[in-house]
Amino acid sequence: MVERKTGYLIPSKMKSKSTLDVRQGFEQRMRKISEFLRLSMTYDRGSEMAQHTTMSDNLKMNIYFVGLHAS
């Protein structure tokens, strides 16, 4: 993960690209950083983010997805 304005890199190790492992990997890492850095998250449209609503609820954080044709 990269914080957009500062370029701060937050590495997150995942067991696999499965939806469960991605959600758990992000949640574990996001819980360790300051709340002001986890107000929201923008993600691409990969199928590994299928559990985004659960992660959003667990972290009390908004999750957005990039536009369909955005680079």
Side-chain angles (χ1 to χ4, degrees), residues 39-70:
L39 297 175
S40 67
M41 177 180 192
T42 304
Y43 204 80
D44 64 10
R45 295 180 173 270
S47 61
E48 65 274 8
M49 283 299 287
Q51 293 187 10
H52 65 90
T53 54
T54 303
M55 185 168 79
S56 178
D57 292 341
N58 291 347
L59 294 172
K60 296 174 182 33
M61 173 179 76
N62 293 323
I63 297 178
Y64 302 97
F65 289 88
V66 296
L68 186 57
H69 299 289

Side-chain angles (χ1 to χ4, degrees), residues 10-61:
I10 305 163
S12 299
K13 186 172 183 172
M14 316 272 175
K15 293 179 185 176
S16 73
K17 288 177 62 175
S18 73
T19 57
L20 178 64
D21 288 340
V22 169
R23 181 181 58 80
Q24 289 175 340
F26 279 141
E27 283 184 13
Q28 181 181 34
R29 190 65 177 124
M30 294 294 276
R31 284 192 176 101
K32 294 180 181 180
I33 63 174
S34 299
E35 282 188 45
F36 79 93
L37 287 175
R38 57 182 164 107
L39 297 175
S40 67
M41 177 180 192
T42 304
Y43 204 80
D44 64 10
R45 295 180 173 270
S47 61
E48 65 274 8
M49 283 299 287
Q51 293 187 10
H52 65 90
T53 54
T54 303
M55 185 168 79
S56 178
D57 292 341
N58 291 347
L59 294 172
K60 296 174 182 33
M61 173 179 76

